[in-house]
Amino acid sequence: MERSSPTASVGDRHWRDGARLAVSCALVFCAMCLLVDWDGGSLTLLRALLWGFLSATVFSVLLPPQVSAGPGWLAVRTPWRRIAVRTDALTTVRQYDGVSSHLVLRDVHGHRLEVDPRILAANPMLWHELDTGVRRSLERGTLRHGADVLERLGHRIDDETVHAVFRASGLS
């Protein structure tokens, strides 16, 4: 995967808020556990380390994935790894609905990426980079399955954007 310059990439503009929330929850959890243990008179160094470890676990579970995109690529970074696909060489796109709706993108290089469509809806620049890459995949003939999924998602994102503009202008 080729690297783009930092100015050419865009990221999830709401990720910092989610990361801040994860840090806050983990710190509150740790403080409450330490306070309860201290009040009970059973706080030891080993127990304090245990609470710290559990707080770090809470943080890693709550930390949202960091989604970024650039010309021809989309990447998701978790605390453990970074996964990227070439959006200009996609082969399939599937959407799974349910409790946790997500898109699964596969490229010609065998890379597979899962992303929450709400992140794309909340970040027009991420959606634009993905949409541009998908159009290139269609032009090249690599995208065989899922173009309709992205078209429906694009219409939904456009509708949500129009409604948001109407609400902000007081027309709705």
Side-chain angles (χ1 to χ4, degrees), residues 12-13 20 26 30 56 63 65 85 95-97 101 103-105 116-118 121 132 138 140 164:
D12 180 359
R13 59 187 173 161
R20 206 173 293 125
C30 187
L63 184 66
V85 294
Q95 182 168 10
Y96 296 96
D97 292 322
S101 176
L103 286 175
V104 177
L105 309 169
D116 187 340
R118 294 176 298 184
T132 302
L138 287 169
R140 294 176 181 166

Side-chain angles (χ1 to χ4, degrees), residues 29-78:
F29 175 78
C30 187
M32 295 300 292
C33 290
L34 289 171
L35 283 172
V36 167
D37 215 359
W38 177 69
D39 188 48
S42 58
L43 184 62
T44 63
L45 179 61
L46 184 60
R47 289 176 68 96
L49 290 174
L50 173 68
W51 295 129
F53 174 75
L54 289 174
S55 297
T57 303
V58 166
F59 169 74
S60 67
V61 166
L62 294 178
L63 184 66
Q66 188 174 13
V67 180
S68 58
W73 59 272
L74 181 72
V76 173
R77 182 182 300 277
T78 66

Side-chain angles (χ1 to χ4, degrees), residues 1 5-6 12 48 65-66 92 99 131-132 139 162 165 170:
M1 155 156 248
S5 66
D12 180 359
Q66 188 174 13
T92 58
V99 174
D131 188 48
T132 302
E139 288 170 3
V162 167
V165 168

